[in-house]
Amino acid sequence: MAELLVTGGAGFIGSNFVHHVIDTTDHSVVVLDKLTYAGNLASLEGLPAERVTFVQGDITDAPLVDDLVSRTDAVVHFAAESHNDNSLDDPRPFLDTNIVGTYTLLEAVRRHGTRYHHISTDEVYGDLELDDPARFTESTPYNPSSPYSSTKAGSDLLVRAWVRSFGLQATISNCSNNYGPYQHVEKFIPRQITNVLRGQRPRLYGAGQNVRDWIHANDHSSAVLTILAKGRIGETYLIGADGEKSNKDVVELILTILGKPADDYEHVTDRAGHDLRYAIDSSKLRRELGWTPKYRDFEAGLRATIDWYASNEAWWAPSKDATEAFYAAKGQ
Ligand code: NAD
Ligand code: TDX
């Protein structure tokens, strides 16, 4: 049994991770989260108070971070500014949280000799052509496209340097696009589901040919727990579940599941610098640590996610209008 400090535990993947830890291990968790627009305490409802403690705070607050790290066995760092579209509008919070916030955590775990796992994204590798048989591997060169992905790439490089220079007890994972419950309505899948639930049409950027490699958030969580338990210090592991789909295919599937004509969507202004395709080769994680994804049927996972949004309007409704106003101002 261990106590984990989970940063960003009130966000989408962090909250799914906390639920997964409580359901599948005997660890206890301290969540450190600033509760930005993307954090939601309702995502942690129903968890046992004797095993989950919540601290509202900023990962750039060095004294707070030092105090929490000094009392924990391991840190799992999810907290980030996470949305590409926001990073095109105002990159500054991405630099503060993703770079300076990670630096603050690294210095604290260095002082206390604490095990650290760094959560990152496949976007650090840039993008692939649609007809390219290649997928990203741990040795693909970094080539990020957006302010968001460049700050994530910078934070990964800080971790690598702290491992080499200071012997930090750290691992890194780079995961593909997650879906599941508790994802903010600014993101692609929840935006389209909640649009249809509200009688509005889904919005596809550009022609909708862009491909994302989808993984259920629970599979991301099980992979992170596997790396925490068995990962080799200093190593990077790619996490993916062979879920490549074009955005157009995903929108058509959402419409069909919700009983609408498959072409009942709008094409809107494309994202600046829009990455074409992401694809993950996760064979290192599977081969070396024995991890496999459980949610292999994307349509079944999507149906369950749609059911969750249909049953939890109180969770997402407060953010929906402001999110759509933000997009409308950009012609999206
Ligand atoms: P999210 O935006 O849903 O959640 C981020 C959380 O971090 C929020 O609860 C927010 O309040 C908190 N936070 C932000 N700034 C903070 C700060 N300065 N101090 C403390 N807390 C702060 O993000 P997500 O989609 O759950 O992503 C979590 C992590 O996973 C990120 O590191 C992201 O880069 C990575 N990731 C995400 C995906 C994906 O598909 N969403 C894929 C791969 C990797
Ligand atoms: O309304 C939309 N219409 C649309 O076509 C939105 C919001 C998005 N899109 C497209 C853009 C992307 O090709 O859908 C795809 C997915 O978009 P996002 O949900 O914004 O995700 P993405 O930019 O791929 O990044 C996500 O995966 C990697 C997460 O937000 C990142 O945090 C993670 O690192």
Side-chain angles (χ1 to χ4, degrees), residues 11-13 33-34 36 39 58-59 78 82 97 120 148 152 178:
F12 163 46
I13 306 175
D33 197 296
K34 187 179 176 179
T36 67
D58 193 317
I59 56 166
F78 290 93
S82 69
T97 290
S120 192
Y148 161 70
K152 291 299 293 188
N178 285 223

Side-chain angles (χ1 to χ4, degrees), residues 126-274:
D127 61 354
L128 299 161
E129 294 298 326
L130 292 179
D131 58 358
D132 189 341
R135 299 188 290 171
F136 299 136
T137 71
E138 287 78 4
S139 52
T140 304
Y142 274 37
N143 188 25
S145 311
S146 74
Y148 161 70
S149 53
S150 63
T151 59
K152 291 299 293 188
S155 71
D156 294 6
L157 298 180
L158 293 179
V159 180
R160 290 183 182 192
W162 261 241
V163 168
R164 174 150 178 171
S165 301
F166 307 122
L168 210 75
Q169 298 293 297
T171 42
I172 299 175
S173 56
N174 297 81
C175 188
S176 63
N177 282 62
N178 285 223
Y179 73 99
Y182 304 118
Q183 188 170 26
H184 195 279
V185 291
E186 69 188 356
K187 302 293 186 345
F188 177 57
I189 287 181
R191 184 182 186 205
Q192 314 313 339
I193 293 171
T194 54
N195 271 10
V196 179
L197 291 174
R198 283 206 159 174
Q200 289 150 5
R201 301 174 89 194
R203 303 285 200 273
L204 208 47
Y205 292 174
Q209 298 306 317
N210 307 63
V211 168
R212 295 295 181 265
D213 190 350
W214 293 101
I215 181 173
H216 195 280
N218 275 343
D219 279 334
H220 189 176
S221 296
S222 70
V224 171
L225 277 180
T226 302
I227 297 166
L228 261 185
K230 301 196 266 182
R232 282 187 291 135
I233 296 303
E235 291 291 312
T236 291
Y237 298 91
L238 262 53
I239 305 173
D242 304 324
E244 281 187 68
K245 299 259 176 299
S246 77
N247 294 339
K248 183 165 170 291
D249 286 348
V250 173
V251 159
E252 288 177 354
L253 192 52
I254 291 170
L255 283 161
T256 305
I257 291 171
L258 285 167
K260 305 282 183 205
D263 61 355
D264 196 13
Y265 58 81
E266 281 176 32
H267 291 281
V268 294
T269 311
D270 206 352
R271 173 183 287 171
H274 195 174

Side-chain angles (χ1 to χ4, degrees), residues 40-172:
N40 191 341
L41 270 185
S43 307
L44 297 172
E45 272 171 15
L47 290 164
E50 64 279 11
R51 289 180 64 197
V52 181
T53 310
F54 180 78
V55 177
Q56 182 169 7
D58 193 317
I59 56 166
T60 64
D61 179 343
L64 172 66
V65 165
D66 188 81
D67 177 48
L68 294 172
V69 168
S70 74
R71 294 188 271 123
T72 201
D73 299 307
V75 175
V76 187
H77 175 36
F78 290 93
E81 285 293 337
S82 69
H83 193 36
N84 277 299
D85 292 319
N86 291 345
S87 81
L88 295 165
D89 239 40
D90 180 13
R92 180 70 207 214
F94 290 75
L95 291 151
D96 292 339
T97 290
N98 300 359
I99 305 270
V100 179
T102 297
Y103 158 75
T104 307
L105 282 158
L106 293 178
E107 285 294 83
V109 293
R110 171 154 90 103
R111 270 192 298 275
H112 297 285
T114 311
R115 175 81 171 85
Y116 172 87
H117 182 71
H118 185 73
I119 302 292
S120 192
T121 169
D122 58 0
E123 295 192 18
V124 299
Y125 300 114
D127 61 354
L128 299 161
E129 294 298 326
L130 292 179
D131 58 358
D132 189 341
R135 299 188 290 171
F136 299 136
T137 71
E138 287 78 4
S139 52
T140 304
Y142 274 37
N143 188 25
S145 311
S146 74
Y148 161 70
S149 53
S150 63
T151 59
K152 291 299 293 188
S155 71
D156 294 6
L157 298 180
L158 293 179
V159 180
R160 290 183 182 192
W162 261 241
V163 168
R164 174 150 178 171
S165 301
F166 307 122
L168 210 75
Q169 298 293 297
T171 42
I172 299 175

Side-chain angles (χ1 to χ4, degrees), residues 299-328:
E299 182 171 341
L302 186 62
R303 280 181 188 275
T305 304
I306 290 173
D307 286 348
W308 188 86
Y309 281 91
S311 309
N312 289 279
E313 185 166 356
W315 183 90
W316 56 264
S319 330
K320 183 67 180 166
D321 288 343
T323 301
E324 288 307 315
F326 167 77
Y327 282 127

